[in-house]
């Protein structure tokens, strides 16, 4: 959940997230730092929440025999930096200084290979229904911490997966409340500016 104590430590980990290390990542290219934040959504099976299957997928331990819809996930090596579950709990798989394999074939403002310079955040959900208030609260907190920790990031560099892979991806989908998220971010930013020190 959102907390004004959300921070990012020297290892590029969220201090409020549970750490679940994934090896679906590697080093960013030399001299490259995060410049983009990509929002995704995931549920396995689609539309079913709380199964733990996304976490197992991101850590490379998903048994594709668990469900018929998992067949096309065999040998898939993918992970975001962070997952936010339906209750707003945070799980981190990859340090923000590393290149997580979340975006796939992608392009932003004419620049390809978004994994190189982006941070990937997954929301537990699908494109057919709204996300929860707890998720938006946590997401705003994470984004606020990222914007503070990495000054090259900006609110204008927060995009949906659909924006960097149009025609291939639809997430986070039509139910994602961009307006509400931006309002929350402005409140977080305002509160940070009022804080002493």
């Amino acid at each position: 959940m959102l907390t004004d104590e959300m921070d990012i430590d020297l290892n590029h980990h969220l201090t409020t997230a549970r750490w679940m290390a994934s090896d679906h990542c590697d080093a960013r290219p030399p001299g490259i730092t995060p410049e983009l934040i990509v929002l995704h959504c995931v549920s396995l099976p689609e539309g079913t929440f709380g199964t733990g299957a996304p976490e197992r997928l991101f850590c490379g331990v998903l048994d594709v025999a668990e469900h018929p819809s998992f067949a096309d996930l065999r040998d898939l090596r993918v992970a975001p930096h962070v997952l936010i579950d339906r209750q707003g709990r945070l799980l981190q798989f990859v340090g923000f200084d590393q290149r997580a394999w979340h975006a796939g074939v992608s392009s932003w403002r004419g620049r390809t290979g978004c994994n190189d310079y982006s941070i990937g955040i997954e929301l537990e959900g699908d494109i057919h229904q709204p996300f929860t208030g707890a998720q938006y609260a946590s997401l705003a907190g994470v984004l606020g911490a990222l914007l503070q920790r990495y000054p090259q990031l900006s609110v204008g560099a927060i995009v949906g997966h659909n924006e960097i892979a149009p025609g291939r991806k639809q997430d986070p989908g039509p139910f994602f409340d961009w307006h509400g998220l931006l309002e929350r971010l402005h409140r977080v930013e305002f509160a940070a500016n009022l804080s002493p020190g």
Side-chain angles (χ1 to χ4, degrees):
M1 283 194 191
L2 176 63
T3 166
D4 52 14
E5 299 171 3
M6 199 173 292
D7 199 6
I8 297 169
D9 67 21
L10 294 176
N11 294 316
H12 302 269
H13 297 176
L14 281 164
T15 57
T16 51
R18 182 160 64 97
W19 177 250
M20 294 184 70
S22 172
D23 63 0
H24 299 172
C25 62
D26 57 3
R28 295 189 189 274
I32 299 297
T33 56
E35 300 172 46
L36 176 68
I37 300 171
V38 181
L39 304 183
H40 307 258
C41 67
V42 64
S43 56
L44 295 173
E46 185 175 358
T48 305
F49 309 130
T51 65
E55 295 94 311
R56 293 194 295 280
L57 173 66
F58 300 150
C59 290
V61 294
L62 179 69
D63 181 356
V64 296
E66 287 179 33
H67 192 273
S69 68
F70 295 173
D72 60 348
L73 302 177
R74 186 180 302 278
D75 299 323
L76 182 65
R77 292 173 58 80
V78 63
H81 290 87
V82 172
L83 169 68
I84 304 175
D85 74 11
R86 300 296 283 184
Q87 289 72 45
R89 293 179 296 235
L90 302 169
L91 295 89
Q92 186 166 359
F93 301 90
V94 178
F96 297 122
D97 59 327
Q98 295 289 106
R99 175 171 57 186
W101 303 338
H102 65 94
V105 177
S106 53
S107 176
W108 182 62
R109 297 180 178 173
R111 186 177 174 193
T112 59
C114 292
N115 281 342
D116 289 353
Y117 54 92
S118 68
I119 289 170
I121 300 175
E122 290 272 7
L123 296 164
E124 185 179 27
D126 64 29
I127 64 170
H128 304 294
Q129 56 189 304
F131 297 91
T132 69
Q135 287 180 298
Y136 285 114
S138 289
L139 178 59
V142 172
L143 294 174
L146 289 170
L147 293 169
Q148 184 172 20
R149 179 68 167 78
Y150 306 104
Q152 65 275 23
L153 289 170
S154 69
V155 171
I158 302 170
V159 302
H161 198 185
N162 61 303
E163 296 176 66
I164 63 166
R168 187 174 70 84
K169 294 293 182 179
Q170 300 179 61
D171 55 319
F175 289 97
F176 188 81
D177 183 7
W178 285 102
H179 178 74
L181 175 63
L182 291 175
E183 282 191 341
R184 282 181 180 271
L185 283 179
H186 290 308
R187 288 199 297 271
V188 168
E189 182 180 32
F190 180 73
N193 289 337
L194 289 178
S195 297

